[in-house]
Amino acid sequence: MSVRFVLASKSPARLKTLRSAGIEPEVIVSGVDEDDVIAENPGELARLLATLKARAVVANLSDHATVLGCDSVLEFDGEPYGKPETPDVARERWRMMRGRSGVLHTGHCLIDTSGKQELRELSSTKVQFADLTDEEIDAYVATGEPLVVAGAFTVDGLGGPFVTAIEGDYHNVVGLSLPLLRRMLAEVGISWPALWNSQKPFTYNESVASTYDETRGGNPRAQAAAQAVDSLLENTGRVLELAVGTGIVGAELVALGNLVHGFDLSVAMLQRAKVRLPGHVAAADAGRLPVGDRRCDAVVAVWLLHLLDDSEPVIAEVARVLRTDGVFVTTTEKTEASRYADDRVPNDTRSQDSLAHLVAIAARHGLTLDGATTFQGPVRNTGEAPTYPLVRFRRV
């Protein structure tokens, strides 16, 4: 079974740590106000903040997931230190820390909603700091890095040369203890390799299909997507939709005057699509379409290419079935649009729906980019709504 693994943190360092270990989590920012939380000691503060983050994300989930919340606090002379936020505070912090040692506590809270289990753990690592000069402190603070990290330092970034030794788990200092997380996952019945295997697209079974529309923005997002697609179709009238899903977008395209035929691999999704598009849906792989060469005027793919390990076979099939001057309309940069809305950095691995990648692959198969538009998705936990790009390729 696939595991929906959610990281309740916008920390780029934690995300990078998981990716380096072979895990690509879903990231949902908790929105917890850390400044209003108090505890009896720095370690308990880190654990409490991690718990509040995980619980805040779980409270907004509509289907089962395994959620990890983390928070780091530096203990120095018995006092907790988080992000300094301002240059003056960061400089003062470093003048206190230089040449001395502190303890970096990272709280971990793992909630498995299907098993109704919540685990709360703490990992602590002793950190020895170099004896920095005032000039080095000023230069480091000027980079902006220490302002936005717990304890005003990193061990995996610009601050690395200023950490002379650690006693304990290195990854814990980065912000997430991998060995501890492995043990916590085992306690809720999830093996570490299972998370490697879960990086494939979700299996759209009945449990997923039954809540798919309501958890993906419902009719408002479907209408926005369909209107954007329709604006690029040039009144072709007949549309082949790949990964038609529940047919929610296809039905909106029909309402706009198009005749839609849809293919999908999920029987559970097709059971819903056939209600919306009766007689016009079938089970088929987008990489092996049961359609003759040069038979289609328009092919549409919404929320498909970003799920694939390799999007080229699908693009090659699209090129095969399109008539000369036919068009292929697809979403692009889906993951990046969501990341920007969550105030996160871009993905540092190539996505199969990145625009540069699609343009290069499409060109190899006789498709040329010649149109684009956007549509807006539903508001996310950050209060921001992602803007999704939609592009058109033409068969030449």
Side-chain angles (χ1 to χ4, degrees):
M1 295 180 60
S2 62
V3 179
R4 184 186 180 191
F5 182 63
V6 177
L7 176 63
S9 171
K10 67 177 181 180
S11 164
R14 292 191 181 106
L15 181 59
K16 185 176 180 180
T17 297
L18 287 171
R19 282 180 173 163
S20 297
I23 296 172
E24 181 67 38
E26 180 181 348
V27 176
I28 302 178
V29 180
S30 67
V32 170
D33 187 352
E34 301 177 17
D35 294 335
D36 292 337
V37 180
I38 58 174
E40 60 185 35
N41 59 60
E44 285 305 310
L45 177 60
R47 183 156 37 196
L48 176 57
L49 286 168
T51 302
L52 293 175
K53 288 181 177 181
R55 289 177 178 175
V57 168
V58 166
N60 289 311
L61 293 178
S62 55
D63 52 1
H64 288 304
T66 302
V67 179
L68 174 67
C70 291
D71 199 272
S72 297
V73 174
L74 177 67
E75 179 178 353
F76 218 88
D77 294 334
E79 294 296 322
Y81 294 93
K83 301 170 185 175
E85 304 292 353
T86 69
D88 287 343
V89 173
R91 274 190 289 269
E92 180 182 353
R93 183 89 52 83
W94 264 101
R95 286 169 183 154
M96 173 189 68
M97 298 189 313
R98 59 184 172 187
R100 302 175 64 196
S101 63
V103 177
L104 196 286
H105 301 286
T106 298
H108 299 65
C109 179
L110 188 73
I111 301 178
D112 183 62
T113 63
S114 59
K116 297 182 179 179
Q117 293 176 274
E118 179 182 284
L119 306 180
R120 299 181 296 276
E121 298 288 351
L122 183 69
S123 180
S124 302
T125 304
K126 184 177 180 180
V127 182
Q128 179 68 46
F129 299 104
D131 190 5
L132 275 65
T133 65
D134 287 345
E135 290 76 14
E136 286 175 317
I137 291 175
D138 290 342
Y140 184 39
V141 171
T143 69
E145 181 181 87
L147 277 62
V148 294
V149 290
F153 77 98
T154 65
V155 71
D156 61 332
L158 297 176
F162 308 137
V163 175
T164 60
I166 63 170
E167 295 180 21
D169 181 4
Y170 166 85
H171 293 106
N172 187 61
V173 183
V174 178
L176 188 160
S177 172
L178 293 175
L180 175 57
L181 175 58
R182 173 181 164 273
R183 295 195 298 272
M184 295 173 76
L185 287 166
E187 286 191 48
V188 299
I190 300 173
S191 72
W192 189 262
L195 290 182
W196 295 337
N197 299 332
S198 70
Q199 304 316 305
K200 304 296 183 183
F202 295 147
T203 299
Y204 294 121
N205 54 23
E206 177 58 34
S207 64
V208 176
S210 65
T211 60
Y212 187 87
D213 291 345
E214 62 188 80
T215 58
R216 268 74 172 183
N219 285 323
R221 189 171 81 160
Q223 291 168 359
Q227 289 168 3
V229 168
D230 186 67
S231 72
L232 297 177
L233 286 178
E234 300 181 322
N235 300 313
T236 54
R238 189 180 296 271
V239 176
L240 177 62
E241 184 180 1
L242 308 183
V244 68
T246 65
I248 189 169
V249 174
E252 295 297 335
L253 286 171
V254 170
L256 293 170
N258 301 282
L259 176 60
V260 178
H261 306 280
F263 290 136
D264 205 290
L265 282 174
S266 168
V267 173
M269 299 289 261
L270 287 171
Q271 289 295 324
R272 287 156 176 79
K274 73 178 185 180
V275 176
R276 289 178 167 133
L277 304 168
H280 291 276
V281 297
D285 187 333
R288 293 187 296 274
L289 295 172
V291 178
D293 295 353
R294 307 292 187 264
R295 296 293 183 88
C296 299
D297 294 316
V299 179
V300 170
V302 179
W303 317 133
L304 169 62
L305 300 183
H306 72 288
L307 295 174
L308 305 177
D309 290 330
D310 183 2
S311 57
E312 183 162 8
V314 172
I315 294 172
E317 273 293 88
V318 169
R320 180 183 67 80
V321 303
L322 276 178
R323 294 190 175 100
T324 299
D325 208 38
V327 297
F328 174 44
V329 178
T330 180
T331 46
T332 181
E333 309 283 1
K334 197 269 185 182
T335 302
E336 300 294 30
S338 299
R339 294 174 69 84
Y340 292 137
D342 286 341
D343 192 27
R344 292 185 285 138
V345 298
N347 195 335
D348 59 8
T349 59
R350 188 186 75 178
S351 172
Q352 287 297 312
D353 77 333
S354 74
L355 184 56
H357 178 65
L358 294 185
V359 169
I361 298 301
R364 289 210 291 262
H365 296 280
L367 300 172
T368 301
L369 180 68
D370 80 337
T373 187
T374 62
F375 64 95
Q376 197 169 62
V379 174
R380 298 174 71 85
N381 290 345
T382 58
E384 298 294 328
T387 297
Y388 295 114
L390 193 73
V391 292
R392 181 180 66 204
F393 292 92
R394 189 176 300 278
R395 184 74 167 88
V396 295

